[in-house]
Amino acid sequence: MATSSKSKSSAGTGGFSAFKMPGFENVSKMMEQFKLPGVDMSALVEWQRKDLEALAEANREAFEGYKTLFERRNEMFKDALGKWQQNLASAANPSAMAKRTEAAREDVQKAVDDFRELVDLEAQARKRAWKVVQDRMQENMAHLQGLMQPKK
């Protein structure tokens, strides 16, 4: 789990603060009462805690990414609306027709470029969130492989 992104993304999000499992210590103590031969309950509880932290981090990454995406989309919409209002104001001027045609072509190209940017932002947000989950899955696989090795 990336600690640098955890501290970065938890700052200023309001809804997401440092991840803490409320009452997880109680669950750990309760699980230790069920002593099974050859099973380290505290290690099992710790493993599950790390899984939950990874899910919370993935959610933080997704939240931050989509927040950025929506903020940028709103900026683009505001800019486009401002241009549209300017074009409407200049519509009464007949000499501006050639300029409006060129402006319309440029606006279409800008809309295509803006759409590409939004698609890239969405893909980056999804990629960062999924990477957190993949990293944790790889840790789990390595841990399981270690558990499957015969004791010497």
Side-chain angles (χ1 to χ4, degrees):
M1 209 159 75
T3 55
S4 62
S5 66
K6 185 176 187 178
S7 61
K8 172 189 72 158
S9 62
S10 65
T13 60
F16 290 108
S17 59
F19 181 77
K20 292 185 181 176
M21 286 298 297
F24 214 75
E25 297 83 23
N26 295 338
V27 172
S28 179
K29 289 177 185 175
M30 182 182 74
M31 293 297 286
E32 287 174 2
Q33 291 176 1
F34 301 106
K35 297 199 185 289
L36 299 173
V39 177
D40 184 354
M41 291 307 260
S42 61
L44 184 63
V45 169
E46 177 66 13
W47 186 359
Q48 293 303 304
R49 184 190 62 76
K50 287 181 180 181
D51 284 350
L52 290 174
E53 284 179 346
L55 283 174
E57 179 66 17
N59 282 329
R60 277 190 291 275
E61 290 291 344
F63 174 81
E64 288 298 320
Y66 282 105
K67 179 179 160 193
T68 301
L69 172 80
F70 294 138
E71 287 170 353
R72 182 66 182 122
R73 182 206 54 197
N74 291 344
E75 289 171 13
M76 290 174 181
F77 180 71
K78 186 177 177 181
D79 290 344
L81 187 59
K83 283 186 179 187
W84 182 71
Q85 288 173 335
Q86 287 174 346
N87 288 338
L88 277 178
S90 69
N93 184 353
S95 66
M97 182 58 90
K99 288 181 183 177
R100 281 194 303 253
T101 302
E102 179 60 23
R105 187 194 64 74
E106 290 172 0
D107 288 346
V108 167
Q109 183 59 49
K110 179 156 178 24
V112 169
D113 293 343
D114 287 350
F115 185 74
R116 283 186 184 133
E117 182 183 346
L118 291 175
V119 168
D120 287 344
L121 285 171
E122 190 275 333
Q124 290 170 12
R126 193 172 6 96
K127 183 179 175 183
R128 284 191 307 270
W130 181 240
K131 179 159 180 14
V132 172
V133 173
Q134 283 179 317
D135 290 348
R136 183 60 193 150
M137 288 170 52
Q138 287 177 350
E139 288 175 23
N140 280 342
M141 290 305 293
H143 185 72
L144 282 173
Q145 287 174 346
L147 291 175
M148 300 301 269
Q149 298 298 320
K151 302 280 183 192
K152 294 182 183 180

